[in-house]
Amino acid sequence: MSTRAVFPPPPGARAYPLRTARGDFAVVDSAVPTGVAEKGTALLLPGFTGSKEDFTLLHEPLTARGYRVVAVDGRGQFESDGPESDESAYARPELAQDVLAQAAALDGPVHLVGHSLGGQIARAAVLLDHSPFLSFTLVSSGPAQISDSQQQRVKLLRDALEVMTMAEVWDAILAMGPPEEVGGPAKGIGDIEQLRRRWLGNKPAQLLATGRQLCAEPDRVAELAAVPLPFHVLSGSQDDTWPVNLLDDMALRLHARRTVVPGADHSPNTDRPEPTARALADFWDTVVP
């Protein structure tokens, strides 16, 4: 695991390797401030090409509401290690078991939050074993595969990764447009050099495997609805990865709390962090441990 300080953690947070039964995972961990009543712990999983830093702007408002925040890089993401070329290490059941191990390494049951791909990995973990979780929030994460337009973008990335180095792919990404459009959310995260170093930290096999998963994910909403957990579906008012009407329908099928953050797109955690954090904490406040 890397020890590079590419991104400074939020004020009062610690960046360290969380030791689990399935290896170490890089986390940013923010404790509840002194004088604020502790209400619980949240485990936050990032999306495709993202990292734990995608939740940077949520730490302070969530800890101010009494919730410890632990954001994690999954296996092969940024500062968490993983095989370079063995895609089987990133099969969905393997990544789901990683989430269960991360939850087990924290103190007591956690509120689980998954953004985009992280939501689908989190869903697989909940379907394996829901007992480590108090609640589950899907952030801009839909019922099945991503939209056709996003599948085309993922295919372009997969094709590039088959023949180019990660550095060459990054240069191609910049030629296509701003990093927040083609390489993950950037708003409030870091400058171009920091984002480049984050990109280079990803393992190619992880991107190839999870990219395929995003394009072939089955609809497992009925299975999830049968799990006895409180659910929350949160998104921006626009989303080209999963259309908002699909997220609305998924929330109905899950009997879930539904939050739409006005003025946010696929990453409300970076687009509009304050209302996103408020919606998360308001939901958690309703959950009885």
Side-chain angles (χ1 to χ4, degrees):
M1 180 176 299
S2 171
T3 57
R4 299 168 299 167
V6 178
F7 297 88
R14 292 191 304 131
Y16 65 92
L18 178 69
R19 304 198 182 282
T20 82
R22 290 177 62 84
D24 294 353
F25 295 90
V27 300
V28 174
D29 185 341
S30 290
V32 174
T34 302
V36 176
E38 296 186 20
K39 299 177 182 176
T41 297
L43 176 63
L44 280 56
L45 313 182
F48 186 61
T49 76
S51 71
K52 60 193 178 302
E53 285 71 29
D54 296 339
F55 302 110
T56 293
L57 301 179
L58 299 183
H59 284 250
E60 287 192 273
L62 288 176
T63 56
R65 291 284 298 270
Y67 293 98
R68 175 189 175 194
V69 176
V70 182
V72 61
D73 288 337
R75 182 193 303 228
Q77 281 185 318
F78 188 30
E79 294 180 312
S80 289
D81 202 8
E84 291 276 347
S85 57
D86 179 9
E87 289 188 45
S88 68
Y90 304 102
R92 181 59 55 80
E94 293 295 321
L95 300 180
Q97 289 285 1
D98 288 347
V99 176
L100 295 176
Q102 292 156 14
L106 301 174
D107 297 328
V110 301
H111 296 283
L112 183 62
V113 178
H115 173 239
S116 195
L117 169 70
Q120 296 197 332
I121 294 170
R123 179 172 74 176
V126 168
L127 290 173
L128 280 178
D129 181 5
H130 70 272
S131 65
F133 308 113
L134 292 169
S135 71
F136 178 27
T137 298
L138 294 122
V139 178
S140 303
S141 186
Q145 74 275 5
I146 55 178
S147 66
D148 290 345
S149 63
Q150 289 299 312
Q151 288 189 45
Q152 289 303 309
R153 293 168 77 95
V154 170
K155 184 180 185 302
L156 285 173
L157 177 58
R158 292 204 321 259
D159 290 347
L161 287 169
E162 296 281 7
V163 297
M164 300 166 69
T165 66
M166 290 290 286
E168 290 169 338
V169 173
W170 174 255
D171 291 340
I173 284 173
L174 287 188
M176 291 170 61
E180 64 266 28
E181 295 181 6
V182 294
K187 208 178 301 180
I189 301 304
D191 60 27
I192 289 295
E193 179 55 27
Q194 289 171 312
L195 293 172
R196 177 180 179 276
R197 290 174 68 184
R198 174 172 80 162
W199 168 260
L200 294 177
N202 286 298
K203 304 301 183 185
Q206 181 265 129
L207 294 171
L208 289 166
T210 56
R212 289 190 176 92
Q213 292 164 19
L214 283 169
C215 296
E217 179 75 7
D219 188 324
R220 304 188 71 187
V221 176
E223 294 174 72
L224 186 62
V227 174
L229 279 181
F231 298 118
H232 184 195
V233 175
L234 185 151
S235 74
S237 53
Q238 300 181 69
D239 197 312
D240 62 357
T241 303
W242 286 279
V244 172
N245 67 297
L246 282 183
L247 302 176
D248 292 339
D249 179 69
M250 182 177 71
L252 289 174
R253 294 168 65 194
L254 290 172
H255 305 286
R257 188 183 184 110
R258 178 74 173 107
T259 298
V260 177
V261 180
D265 292 309
H266 184 60
S267 297
N269 41 302
T270 57
D271 293 339
R272 298 203 64 206
E274 289 288 342
T276 298
R278 184 166 57 250
L280 288 170
D282 286 349
F283 169 60
W284 298 335
D285 282 352
T286 70
V287 176
V288 178

